[in-house]
Amino acid sequence: MGSRFTWLDLGMLGLGVLVPGIAMAQAATAGTNQAWTRWNPVTPLTAQSFAHPSMSDRPWVRMNTPDGLTSDELKAEVDAMAASGIGGVEIGQGTFPATPQLIAILQEANRKGLKVSLSHGSTTAPKGYSLDEDNVRKTLLFTASDVKGGQTAEVTFKAPLPPVNRGFGGGGGGGRPAPPPQPRRSTLIAVMAYKCVSSCDSGVATLDFSSAVDVTSQITGKDAAGVGGGPTTGKLAWKAPSEGDWKIIAFWSQGANAQPDLFSKAGTDELIRGMESDWTPDVKALLRANGGDIFYDSHSADRGSPTELWTNNMEAEFKELRGYSLLQSAAALFPQNFMFSDGSAERVRNDLNAMRTQLWIENHLKPMRAWAHGYNLRLRLQPYGEVVATTPDEIEAASVLDRPETESLFFGDEVDSFLPIAAANHMTGNTWYSTECCAAVSKAYAQTFQDAVIRMHREYVAGVTKLVYHVYPYRDAKDAKWPGYHSFGSAGFSNAWGPRNPNWIDANTYNDYFARTQQVLTQGTAKVDVAVYMLSYTFPQPMQVKGGFHIWPDTKLQEAGFTRDYLDPALLAMPSAVVTNHVLAANKAAYKVLILDGEQQPDANPERDEMPLATAQRILALAKAGLPIIVVGKAPDHVPGRDTKDDAAVKSAMDALMQLKNVHRVTHEGDVPALLLSLGIHPSAEPEAPSQVLSLRREDAARGVQYYFFYNQQEVTPPGEPANLFELAGTKVFDGKVTLHGQGKPYVLDAWSGAIVPLQGYEAVPGGVRVPLHIAADDAVMIALSKLPLTSSVAGAVVTAFGAGKTMDLTGARWHLAVEDWKPAVKYGATGVEATQTSKDAIPVELEGLKSWRKIPGLADVSGVGTYTTTLNLPDDWKAGRSSVLRLGEVMDSFQLKVNGKAVPANQISAAVEVGRYLHAGANTIEVRVATTLNNRLSQLDTDVRKRKIVQEYGLIGPVVLETAAK
């Protein structure tokens, strides 16, 4: 394995080894909402489907493409993906393929069974669409002037320049310098005057909202060149009242991105017409046959969660739905410049955020989804925006998407941050929750497969069900050096997955693992212990808060075994959110308790003591219906919006709530686990003692199966995110017993081999089954608790239980190492197709003991594939089939094991394998084939790669030990 991991020792579990050939007794059907499974089919889990997962279970890739694409190469790329266990390809980032190339991709994908996702191109904007269009995406800007009381202001209005687009990394995108802003079509929509409470010249001017004067009608010299015939310039002569200093603020709408508006139906219609016009009949037919999706990234410029402040009908719709004029309060939308003395500015922003959420969902997401369905396409989208102050409600948006998606980068691999979107799925029954994984800043060609596994473990346990690799580049570009085109460069942002890397030779091993895991995690219905109320318009924080950010900061709840979801007002208002036998949404997530958390982070947008009246009344009704409620700290006592007339009603509802016998208050989050246990509320997977292990549960009630996913988390906040690689991994092994909710016999679902293995050493206890678990650091285990027998269609090689026996250390033995040295076939610096060719010279090495390639003469700068061979001599009285565990120790990166010429599936994280059935008396041949990244070779060739000073310890390092059971 790629780091000094501790092993997943299933031997401690008492596992038996099954023989192949018997199908699972019953197919575990996916008892999910049919409205969702129509668009996101679920593979019923059987012995055969688990051993050989379908294309729908497999991970996808995001393919980056340059100029100069050819149809033949695109077809070859699709074929290579299919051969590597990839089930879908997202195209469009970089250069969107021209129609002939798009047709080539779709034809080959349909032939191979891959799904195709369209991103960018006409899915983003019609061809030729400009910032001057009437229905372009708009934001709100301002210009301001000061005037003393009693004096007359003479103002000539000139549109402001757009703000500098810093993009991700502080530049114009990818860290590049931002281009200077250029004038854009801007429309003057209102001019307001406010009295300053103190000096108007202060950094953040405090305005007296009650003094607001709308002077828009007094503008003269207007033209009609703006949107809807509005002015783009004008003049104002206005005498200020005699008292105080005054601020005159002109509000302008201005194009933000050259794309149709996301807040208006007119904008959505323009986008749809653009796609309809761009797609030829052949493309449309191929898309219908493919059944893929349309994808939007989180970046606002990629049509992810919108961050702009305006749309053409914003004022009218806001006034209708929120009950007051937004323009009169628009200064509140610029907190870096203005605030209101009555404290209402934050409430105005809350109203706008609620309004943006509603407009985005009703005018864009729902119509887009309905239209996409007409082409047998789904809508996939990252609904959380980017690093800005506020965004729409990601939970509510996720609840209406066919395919909500998250990412590891912005979320910093924090398990807690993936939970809100998962909650939407758990309440709707949708099983698709994909992730853009596993971008690591400046780690191109250094990222290991094992790193991807650990990152996915953190996301799987949070409810994610589909991996999308970021990124898989096209083969070549005219200016790209060896090993080929990569939009982010050889030392840049994110890895370049694909066959150019030595470790991709093991892609099928890893992609089978991901596919089997994803198949399990889509079975039945998610069941979650605790619901936590959350309404937040703030971008997920891990990317911004170094040192750790968590929505629920205290870790005692998860250490006690409790799982949690975050429910917003929209989820609590769903028809399924009813109480049955003291359980919320029994036919969905079946929450045992609802928590109002006064310590929840972030503590603003809106503040934790704010709650919509309808939500407060809904929670009171749930409590009266028998749902246990816990309030941490102070209960909400007012609404988030500017209209304060409902504040008293919120407080009244919360006061009534606190009078109920099933409602409890604690001071801090850390007090919650003990209270829950005292109330007789236990987690579905309860450890004997607090632990670092996290769990996820899904229930297939129709088949009587409970599925559990356990992850042995090492770092709650991984250091150095998002640049971190999980090397070296942690060392905390979990070795203990866990009580599982449910009835039946437990089985281990071994995703590395596809075997389903009975778990020995369990015991039935009231209400469940207690099982022994021994999980290596950062590893995961899946358990099925089934009322009916489960059997396997393949033989597993998981570790079996055995008592103390002999240990044979092979680390210092004589090993033959045959290395393929991967390097450019032509002089480094060449570009184009010829630069993608790789030579693989053979280097034979005789080793007296194992060591890193860095310490072997001639291999210090080598990347590639190495095959280790040694002989293990066993005594004449060796009994065939004797339980024996081969522990490989540290291996960097991917590896394959053969014993006496027979391939043995191996856990790539624990590197501990049951090999007893493959051994015999006398001489036994042990072969371990190891594949690396390209980092060390590129460090020797490329200045930028060398500057990052990453050196990886390749090879089979060990200790390699054979442990045999007592006779």
Side-chain angles (χ1 to χ4, degrees):
M1 28 161 292
S3 305
R4 296 183 183 91
F5 295 109
T6 307
W7 308 287
L8 163 57
D9 185 358
L10 295 180
M12 299 300 294
L13 301 178
L15 296 181
V17 178
L18 289 182
V19 296
I22 304 175
M24 182 182 289
Q26 292 287 341
T29 57
T32 53
N33 190 319
Q34 292 300 310
W36 293 106
T37 55
R38 175 187 175 189
W39 301 109
N40 298 316
V42 173
T43 303
L45 196 151
T46 66
Q48 186 69 16
S49 73
F50 186 65
H52 307 286
S54 71
M55 291 295 280
S56 64
D57 299 314
R58 295 193 169 278
W60 287 18
V61 295
R62 172 182 292 183
M63 187 180 188
N64 279 16
T65 47
D67 295 333
L69 304 176
T70 70
S71 295
D72 287 344
E73 176 56 27
L74 287 168
K75 288 182 178 181
E77 300 268 7
V78 171
D79 291 347
M81 292 173 193
S84 300
I86 296 299
V89 54
E90 173 195 318
I91 59 174
Q93 190 174 78
T95 298
F96 193 87
T99 296
Q101 283 73 52
L102 179 57
I103 288 174
I105 293 169
L106 287 166
Q107 286 175 335
E108 195 65 12
N110 290 352
R111 192 171 74 86
K112 290 292 186 177
L114 270 75
K115 299 301 181 184
V116 174
S117 175
L118 301 184
S119 173
H120 298 81
S122 62
T123 68
T124 300
K127 291 180 179 178
Y129 205 82
S130 79
L131 287 162
D132 294 336
E133 306 286 344
D134 279 0
N135 291 310
V136 75
R137 293 176 63 180
K138 297 179 182 69
T139 195
L140 197 66
L141 301 175
F142 74 90
T143 54
S145 304
D146 296 341
V147 59
K148 296 290 186 181
Q151 295 185 5
T152 298
E154 300 282 350
V155 183
T156 298
F157 296 108
K158 181 180 180 181
L161 289 174
V164 175
N165 179 18
R166 294 294 177 186
F168 172 64
R176 297 184 295 273
Q182 300 297 317
R184 296 178 184 174
R185 184 190 188 196
S186 304
T187 304
L188 180 60
I189 55 176
V191 180
M192 302 295 301
Y194 304 88
K195 184 172 71 174
C196 299
V197 173
S198 55
S199 171
C200 287
D201 296 329
S202 59
V204 179
T206 301
L207 308 178
D208 178 0
F209 177 75
S210 66
S211 71
V213 179
D214 186 346
V215 297
T216 309
S217 62
Q218 300 180 39
I219 300 173
T220 61
K222 298 183 290 185
D223 61 11
V227 173
T232 63
T233 186
K235 295 183 178 181
L236 174 70
W238 179 73
K239 183 176 181 180
S242 58
E243 295 183 2
D245 296 337
W246 289 74
K247 181 79 73 173
I248 301 171
I249 307 175
F251 298 105
W252 303 77
S253 73
Q254 186 181 89
N257 294 99
Q259 305 163 6
D261 186 16
L262 287 96
F263 291 136
S264 69
K265 187 64 167 58
T268 300
D269 289 344
E270 285 189 355
L271 180 65
I272 289 173
R273 285 195 296 270
M275 286 185 280
E276 292 276 11
S277 175
D278 184 55
W279 296 349
T280 66
D282 286 344
V283 168
K284 292 175 181 178
L286 288 166
L287 287 171
R288 285 194 176 97
N290 183 266
D293 65 37
I294 293 173
F295 171 69
Y296 296 114
D297 203 336
S298 61
H299 300 293
S300 187
D302 293 331
R303 294 190 71 84
S305 183
T307 58
E308 53 264 36
L309 302 175
W310 203 250
T311 183
N312 291 344
N313 296 324
M314 178 67 84
E315 172 69 357
E317 296 195 64
F318 190 93
K319 187 177 293 185
E320 178 182 354
L321 295 175
R322 310 309 297 182
Y324 64 96
S325 167
L326 177 60
L327 286 173
Q328 188 176 1
S329 306
L333 306 183
F334 304 93
Q336 304 299 318
N337 305 95
F338 310 113
M339 61 183 297
F340 291 144
S341 58
D342 62 0
S344 64
E346 185 259 348
R347 289 181 170 223
V348 172
R349 293 192 293 272
N350 287 338
D351 281 335
L352 177 67
N353 289 326
M355 187 72 196
R356 291 195 302 179
T357 301
Q358 188 168 357
L359 292 177
W360 183 39
I361 290 174
E362 297 301 326
N363 291 341
H364 183 68
L365 296 183
K366 288 183 178 179
M368 273 291 295
R369 182 184 174 209
W371 172 80
H373 287 179
Y375 283 98
N376 192 26
L377 298 172
R378 290 79 171 149
L379 180 61
R380 179 165 59 97
L381 188 143
Q382 297 173 352
Y384 44 83
E386 54 189 318
V387 186
V388 294
T390 59
T391 64
D393 177 3
E394 64 171 321
I395 300 176
E396 184 174 359
S399 72
V400 304
L401 293 172
D402 294 318
R403 294 177 172 176
E405 183 164 297
T406 186
E407 64 179 276
S408 58
L409 180 71
F410 278 177
F411 286 64
D413 292 300
E414 293 284 6
V415 174
D416 197 37
S417 296
F418 301 119
L419 298 178
I421 294 176
N425 274 16
H426 297 164
M427 283 294 289
T428 63
N430 191 0
T431 57
W432 183 291
Y433 182 12
S434 50
T435 177
E436 174 194 330
C437 189
C438 305
V441 175
S442 300
K443 296 298 188 294
Y445 298 109
Q447 194 162 26
T448 65
F449 260 126
Q450 293 171 39
D451 175 75
V453 171
I454 296 172
R455 289 172 185 265
M456 286 308 302
H457 284 167
R458 299 178 73 91
E459 299 194 46
Y460 285 146
V461 80
V464 169
T465 61
K466 177 72 74 173
L467 160 63
V468 180
Y469 285 100
H470 184 286
V471 294
Y472 186 109
Y474 182 80
R475 180 191 61 185
D476 65 280
K478 62 182 180 181
D479 57 350
K481 297 180 291 186
W482 185 81
Y485 166 73
H486 185 23
S487 58
F488 301 111
S490 295
F493 161 70
S494 189
N495 199 30
W497 300 98
R500 67 185 64 185
N501 301 281
N503 57 4
W504 195 256
I505 195 174
D506 291 321
N508 276 302
T509 294
Y510 285 88
N511 291 331
D512 284 352
Y513 175 81
F514 293 134
R516 293 182 184 117
T517 302
Q518 291 168 175
Q519 184 181 121
V520 172
L521 297 181
T522 55
Q523 300 303 302
T525 304
K527 299 296 179 183
V528 184
D529 296 319
V530 174
V532 182
Y533 172 73
M534 184 177 83
L535 174 60
S536 178
Y537 301 118
T538 299
F539 173 82
Q541 297 290 295
M543 187 70 160
Q544 297 170 288
V545 181
K546 301 304 178 184
F549 167 84
H550 308 96
I551 303 168
W552 181 284
D554 191 87
T555 60
K556 294 185 182 67
L557 188 68
Q558 64 195 44
E559 290 168 358
F562 287 98
T563 58
R564 65 182 180 272
D565 271 350
Y566 296 106
L567 306 190
D568 70 347
L571 297 189
L572 285 170
M574 285 185 170
S576 59
V578 295
V579 178
T580 306
N581 296 326
H582 310 290
V583 170
L584 176 62
N587 66 333
K588 297 296 183 185
Y591 305 107
K592 304 166 187 176
V593 64
L594 174 64
I595 300 176
L596 309 183
D597 182 15
E599 294 184 330
Q600 188 177 107
Q601 297 298 312
D603 57 1
N605 296 321
E607 295 177 357
R608 296 288 76 88
D609 58 355
E610 298 173 334
M611 179 180 286
L613 175 58
T615 305
Q617 293 171 336
R618 177 68 167 169
I619 291 173
L620 176 59
L622 295 174
K624 288 181 176 179
L627 179 67
I629 306 258
I630 296 175
V631 177
V632 178
K634 180 177 178 290
D637 60 9
H638 61 282
V639 298
R642 201 200 73 173
D643 190 346
T644 62
K645 71 178 186 330
D646 290 332
D647 285 356
V650 170
K651 186 176 186 307
S652 177
M654 291 295 101
D655 288 345
L657 182 77
M658 298 308 301
Q659 300 303 311
L660 300 177
K661 292 182 178 180
N662 56 317
V663 178
H664 311 271
R665 189 197 299 270
V666 295
T667 304
H668 299 294
E669 289 175 342
D671 302 325
V672 170
L675 173 59
L676 288 172
L677 295 176
S678 73
L679 296 173
I681 299 174
H682 292 262
S684 294
E686 184 171 11
E688 288 186 310
S691 80
Q692 73 275 11
V693 172
L694 305 179
S695 70
L696 176 145
R697 170 187 162 217
R698 295 190 70 90
E699 177 183 83
D700 187 340
R703 297 295 182 184
V705 184
Q706 305 286 334
Y707 296 97
Y708 288 89
F709 180 91
F710 294 97
Y711 166 56
N712 184 9
Q713 177 176 246
Q714 298 300 286
E715 298 285 349
V716 176
T717 301
E721 281 292 350
N724 176 68
L725 295 179
F726 286 94
E727 302 170 21
L728 301 171
T731 59
K732 294 183 292 186
V733 176
F734 176 77
D735 189 1
K737 294 184 177 181
V738 178
T739 300
L740 307 182
H741 169 86
Q743 297 178 342
K745 294 182 179 181
Y747 299 81
V748 172
L749 305 174
D750 180 23
W752 291 110
S753 67
I756 301 173
V757 183
L759 173 60
Q760 306 299 326
Y762 71 92
E763 57 181 317
V765 296
V769 176
R770 184 175 294 126
V771 299
L773 293 179
H774 189 94
I775 313 175
D778 275 316
D779 206 359
V781 172
M782 293 190 294
I783 304 291
L785 190 60
S786 178
K787 296 178 181 179
L788 297 173
L790 306 183
T791 54
S792 183
S793 68
V794 298
V798 292
V799 180
T800 57
F802 58 94
K806 293 184 178 180
T807 298
M808 303 178 190
D809 192 334
L810 303 178
T811 312
R814 177 173 294 175
W815 293 79
H816 174 72
L817 172 59
V819 174
E820 285 184 356
D821 178 9
W822 287 38
K823 56 188 176 183
V826 298
K827 184 177 180 181
Y828 188 73
T831 59
V833 175
E834 68 169 351
T836 66
Q837 302 304 307
T838 299
S839 70
K840 302 175 183 179
D841 295 340
I843 304 177
V845 180
E846 299 298 329
L847 297 175
E848 295 292 338
L850 297 171
K851 62 188 73 174
S852 162
W853 289 12
R854 297 287 297 173
K855 299 177 182 178
I856 300 174
L859 299 186
D861 298 321
V862 169
S863 294
V865 179
T867 301
Y868 294 77
T869 308
T870 193
T871 299
L872 168 66
N873 291 302
L874 295 175
D876 292 340
D877 63 350
W878 178 266
K879 185 177 180 181
R882 182 179 178 183
S883 184
S884 303
V885 178
L886 182 64
R887 303 185 185 278
L888 298 179
E890 183 182 350
V891 191
M892 177 70 170
D893 169 38
S894 62
F895 65 92
Q896 299 295 326
L897 172 66
K898 286 185 178 180
V899 178
N900 291 321
K902 295 182 179 180
V904 184
N907 183 316
Q908 300 280 309
I909 303 301
S910 73
V913 191
E914 168 60 60
V915 295
R917 85 183 72 172
Y918 303 97
L919 298 174
H920 54 68
N924 294 265
T925 301
I926 307 297
E927 179 181 300
V928 182
R929 199 257 292 127
V930 180
T932 76
T933 69
L934 280 179
N935 173 77
N936 289 5
R937 173 56 69 192
L938 282 169
S939 293
Q940 187 260 338
L941 296 171
D942 190 281
T943 301
D944 291 335
V945 176
R946 186 162 54 250
K947 284 180 179 178
R948 69 187 183 187
K949 297 181 179 179
I950 297 176
V951 177
Q952 294 179 306
E953 302 293 328
Y954 293 155
L956 174 62
I957 300 171
V960 177
V961 177
L962 180 72
E963 297 178 355
T964 63
K967 293 183 180 180

